[in-house]
Amino acid sequence: MSATTSEEDPWPVRTVARKIAEWVDRLGAVWVEGQLAQVNARSGTAFLTLRDPAADISLQLTAPSSLVRDAGGAVTEGSRVIVHGKPSFYLGRGTLSLRVDRIRAVGLGELLARIERLRRLLAAEGLFDPALKRRPPLLPHTIGLVTGRDSAAEHDVVRNATSRWPAVRFRIENVAVQGGLAVEQVVGALRALDRDPDVEVIVLARGGGSVEDLLPFSDETLCRAVAACRTPVVSAIGHEPDTPLVDHVADVRCSTPTEAGRSLVPDLAEETARISGLRDRARRALHGWVDREQHRLDDLRRRPVLADPLRMVTFREGEIADARAAAHRAVLRRLDRSSSELEHLGARLAALGPTATLARGYAIVQLADRTDDDVPPLLRSVADAPAGTGLRIRVADGAVAATVTTTTDPET
């Protein structure tokens, strides 16, 4: 195919096809591993489609029908096989195929070893990290379900979820859950549900089966598609012992589809009972609070200052009246005592003063000036008065008893 061609001297189709066939014939035989997506062994020649589980690439195989029959159950759709063959280019249709002379099923131990290697690879990349797990909503608006058509897994999920919450809504995507087309269809359904804004959780459900049956759910492409979903994904693949790799990548793992149906939505009866219980607790708490506050108000009302607000005023009024009466009595006693003291002092003064002397017959004689009404000084004796002096005599009550004019005669 190294010969040159030009626009003026092109090769015909047969030449190009023959040269390609010659070049392909020079290729040696190869061992190829893949998953059988289609097996057609009706005629003498069997036509098979070998698919790469990790990529959307397939290769056409041709083999004697006897080779397929001799392989027994190993050559069926969905089986993982290793084939030996030589590339061949068919001139009539211009197609490339692999003429197979040996077919061997991949052993279970080999499959498990490859799954383990893939598990370590995905774990190293952090796809199993618990920090990446998302919690599905308590009551999702719509549940996306990826499962086989009319399968027991679909029935278990829908029946159990509906029995717990009758109003639950599902968007169901029926796909192949085993075989060569399973990974492609499941990935497509996942992406379609992830784009739906109403779908708030996606469930991958499949019943139990052999390791070979569950191989699509340990496929690297499917695991990465689950990890890339923005919507939480619940894995319900197989039964309790079955643990495909998608269980580790999904946000929630359920051991069975039945458990998935029970965990997707809350139980209506339980939630109703819980709400009733919360209402009762709230009612009791409110009543208890009201009772406590009522007791506090009653205690406050029973206090004397609130039970009889005028009691303190009345009590103080009595105290003030008693104090006023005591003060009045004290003043009266003081007045009586002062009056008695005053009378006593008056009596003493009267006894010691000249009035008492005058009352016993004595008189106070003052020199009187006829031209002056002022009281003259007292005379100690009549002899001291000048001759012709008039004397005014005061009696004890202060009245003038007589006026005497003195003479020079001492006997007068």
Side-chain angles (χ1 to χ4, degrees), residues 140-147 154 157-158 167-175 188-204 231 264:
H141 182 272
T142 302
I143 299 173
L145 178 59
V146 180
T147 185
E154 176 183 348
V157 172
V158 175
V168 64
R169 296 175 54 190
F170 280 94
R171 176 181 171 182
I172 301 176
E173 295 287 337
N174 294 121
V175 296
L190 273 175
R191 292 172 179 170
L193 293 175
D194 193 36
R195 290 192 298 266
D196 190 342
D198 292 334
V199 175
E200 296 182 354
V201 62
I202 301 173
V203 182
L204 296 179
T231 307
L264 290 173

Side-chain angles (χ1 to χ4, degrees), residues 361-382:
Y362 292 91
I364 298 175
V365 179
Q366 294 177 329
L367 179 62
D369 189 354
R370 298 183 183 273
T371 61
D372 190 0
D373 293 336
D374 292 336
V375 178
L378 295 176
L379 297 178
R380 295 185 178 275
S381 69
V382 177

Side-chain angles (χ1 to χ4, degrees), residues 25-168:
D25 285 339
R26 289 196 295 269
L27 296 176
V30 293
W31 287 96
V32 182
E33 179 189 352
Q35 186 177 29
L36 292 175
Q38 185 177 3
V39 178
N40 185 358
R42 296 178 181 177
S43 60
T45 301
F47 296 92
L48 305 91
T49 301
L50 188 65
R51 176 182 176 277
D52 190 327
D56 189 15
I57 300 175
S58 60
L59 181 65
Q60 298 298 320
L61 308 179
T62 59
S65 298
S66 58
L67 181 65
V68 175
R69 289 192 298 269
D70 294 342
V75 183
T76 58
E77 292 183 2
S79 301
R80 297 287 290 266
V81 296
I82 297 176
V83 300
H84 181 268
K86 187 177 184 303
S88 173
F89 188 79
Y90 181 61
L91 292 176
R93 296 182 179 177
T95 58
L96 179 68
S97 64
L98 193 67
R99 292 197 305 269
V100 176
D101 54 17
R102 293 177 63 185
I103 299 178
R104 179 174 66 85
V106 178
L108 178 60
E110 188 175 358
L111 287 176
L112 295 177
R114 292 178 182 178
I115 292 175
E116 179 61 24
R117 287 196 296 270
L118 180 59
R119 187 191 68 80
R120 290 198 295 267
L121 173 64
L122 297 179
E125 293 183 9
L127 269 66
F128 300 165
D129 189 355
L132 301 178
K133 309 301 181 183
R134 294 159 295 182
R135 183 184 296 274
L138 175 64
L139 188 60
H141 182 272
T142 302
I143 299 173
L145 178 59
V146 180
T147 185
R149 185 179 302 277
D150 297 329
S151 61
E154 176 183 348
H155 176 72
D156 289 343
V157 172
V158 175
R159 180 175 57 84
N160 283 279
T162 306
S163 64
R164 291 171 61 84
W165 196 271
V168 64

Side-chain angles (χ1 to χ4, degrees), residues 294-314:
Q294 185 64 45
H295 290 327
R296 291 181 60 187
L297 289 176
D298 294 341
D299 292 341
L300 292 174
R301 288 174 179 174
R302 282 193 294 267
R303 292 184 179 182
V305 69
L306 293 178
D308 187 5
L310 298 179
R311 180 180 179 182
M312 184 175 293
V313 176
T314 305

